[in-house]
Structures are given as structure tokens and as C-alpha cells.
Amino acid sequence: MKARIKKPTGGQVATAILLLILGILISMQIKSVKQSNELKNLEKARAIELAEQINQLRKENSSLRSQIYELESKIKEYQDSAASISKTTELLKDELDKVKILAGLTDVEGPGVVITLDDSKLPATANVDPNSFLLHDSDILQVINELRAAGAEAISINDQRIVATTEIRCAGPTISINNTRYSAPYIIKAIGDPKILKNSLMMRGGIIDLLREFSIEVKIEEASNIVIPRYTGTLKFNYAKIKNEGS
């Protein structure tokens, strides 16, 4: 005969179901704890990685700051050097401008005097040399020399700039200035202190007194601004050379 199988009671079934649920919950808890640990480990690893990246960025930032300071230092050096070069260039330009003015190679303007000289209009008389009543190159030269001695910085005659190579000489009834012939009247312009220039010409016994003795027409005007053109000829130096230092 077969042994009779005993049916589980309701309590046993309930206990079995409870144990099953408990096992599932424990399994889920274990899995959750495992996942939590893995997440913590991942976060910890990520935190370490981020810390390393931050540390690396700090090093790079420090290096970049050093480079910036170095570049700023070089920029300052370049700026100082550029300022020095600019100052030197400005000084050289000023010196060049002065040389150009002295050489008559540039138009200039400034205060000064305008002198107009013309032959005498008196009629010729017997026993008097008519040439005495005409302007000569020596008369013009004396006026120019007086202006230079009084500090004239630029001079022109009939708009011909007076330079180191300018000739003022008689050429028949005319006067040659910079190889160009002119007849009276002669208009002389000089830039400088107007009063000093005028007084030097008007001093007693000076060139103007002498010219007026022969009735040469003389007119002197002070001017607040005179324009004197540059020398339009060609300056050639075939023999004069700049002396080398130490030679």
C-alpha cells in the first residue's frame, strides 16, 4: 500500500510564502547594497579623477600665469624700447628740420621784416655819376650781412632763397641771384625778431642811411608772418665731404 501524503496546512503555506518574500527582499537588499557600494566606489574614483584634473589645471594655470608675467615683461621692454626709439626719431626729425631750414631746403614762415629797395627816381645831374643813384650788388650784400648779424633765420630776395652757395653779383643793369637775373625793385624778406632786424638796419650811419644819401628808395615793414620759399636749385658738393671721426 502507498503511504498517504500529508497535505500542508495553511500555516505552512503562509510560512513558505513569507520565507520566499523574505528571501527576495534580502536578495534585493544585497543587490541594492552592492550597487550602492559600486556607485560609491565609482563616485570615489570620479572624485579622485576630478581632483587630479583640478590639480593638473592648477599647475597649467600657474604655468600660464608665469608665461603671462614673462610676456608682460617683454611687452614693457618693447614699449620702453619703442618709446626710446620714438624719442630718438623725434630728436632726429627736429635736427633734420633745423638742417633743412639752415640749408634752405624747405619752405618756412614766421615773423620778420620786408625791405623794398629801388633805384633813385631823381633825374640825372651834371658832374654826378648816375651809377651812384642805382642799386648795386654790394648794396644788397650789405643789407643781407646786416640781417644775418641781427639773427635772421631765413632770407630771400625776390623770392630767391639765400643759401650758402647763393651768389649776388652785378650782371649788367641787373643783379644775378641764384643764377637768375633781376632788376630793381628788390624785395628782401627776412624771418627773425622784427624789431631787432629793423633796428639793425636803421641804426645811425648804417647801410640804410648810406643808401638814402644817394636817394635810393628804401621801405622797411615789420610783419607778423612772412613766407619764404625753399631753395629750388641743386646743391652739389664735389669736394666738401663730412670728416670721419678719428681721422
Side-chain angles (χ1 to χ4, degrees):
M1 290 183 64
K2 293 182 180 179
R4 183 175 292 184
I5 298 173
K6 221 176 179 184
K7 289 183 181 181
T9 64
Q12 291 176 332
V13 171
T15 300
I17 291 171
L18 183 61
L19 290 174
L20 177 62
I21 292 171
L22 183 60
I24 292 172
L25 289 175
I26 292 172
S27 175
M28 290 176 65
Q29 181 64 28
I30 293 171
K31 186 176 182 180
S32 177
V33 170
K34 184 178 179 181
Q35 287 177 346
S36 178
N37 289 336
E38 289 178 352
L39 182 60
K40 287 181 179 179
N41 291 335
L42 182 62
E43 289 177 348
K44 185 177 180 181
R46 180 60 177 165
I48 294 172
E49 182 182 354
L50 288 174
E52 290 178 353
Q53 290 181 1
I54 290 172
N55 188 45
Q56 182 64 27
L57 288 173
R58 284 176 178 170
K59 290 181 180 179
E60 291 178 0
N61 184 50
S62 177
S63 176
L64 289 173
R65 284 183 179 276
S66 298
Q67 291 180 31
I68 288 172
Y69 293 146
E70 184 179 351
L71 289 173
E72 286 178 343
S73 178
K74 288 183 178 180
I75 288 172
K76 188 177 184 304
E77 289 179 8
Y78 293 149
Q79 288 175 336
D80 293 342
S81 177
S84 176
I85 292 172
S86 177
K87 186 176 181 180
T88 302
T89 302
E90 186 176 346
L91 291 174
L92 289 174
K93 184 180 180 300
D94 289 342
E95 289 300 317
L96 180 59
D97 288 342
K98 291 178 183 177
V99 171
K100 284 183 176 180
I101 292 174
L102 289 173
L105 299 178
T106 184
D107 297 345
V108 291
E109 64 178 352
V113 293
V114 178
I115 306 110
T116 304
L117 303 176
D118 202 353
D119 296 332
S120 172
K121 297 300 186 291
L122 292 177
T125 58
N127 301 322
V128 177
D129 184 359
N131 287 325
S132 299
F133 299 96
L134 300 177
L135 280 162
H136 298 281
D137 55 340
S138 58
D139 300 325
I140 303 294
L141 279 169
Q142 287 186 68
V143 172
I144 297 302
N145 288 337
E146 198 62 55
L147 290 170
R148 281 175 169 165
E153 297 175 357
I155 303 173
S156 68
I157 305 173
N158 288 12
D159 286 333
Q160 283 289 339
R161 184 71 168 269
I162 304 303
V163 296
T165 57
T166 296
E167 92 292 348
I168 301 174
R169 56 188 174 83
C170 278
T174 63
I175 294 178
S176 176
I177 305 167
N178 289 336
N179 292 317
T180 303
R181 294 187 178 190
Y182 294 94
S183 57
Y186 300 99
I187 300 175
I188 301 172
K189 297 177 182 178
I191 292 177
D193 186 306
K195 294 191 179 302
I196 293 177
L197 295 177
K198 184 176 181 179
N199 290 337
S200 69
L201 294 173
M202 297 297 293
M203 64 181 177
R204 185 174 298 178
I207 178 61
I208 299 303
D209 277 357
L210 178 62
L211 293 175
R212 283 175 172 165
E213 282 183 14
F214 293 94
S215 300
I216 296 296
E217 295 186 1
V218 179
K219 182 180 179 182
I220 303 176
E221 297 175 291
E222 295 183 23
S224 59
N225 191 66
I226 296 172
V227 176
I228 295 181
R230 67 183 181 86
Y231 175 66
T232 56
T234 302
L235 294 175
K236 293 183 179 180
F237 296 94
N238 297 321
Y239 303 99
K241 296 180 180 180
I242 296 176
K243 184 178 181 299
N244 293 326
E245 293 292 334
S247 61

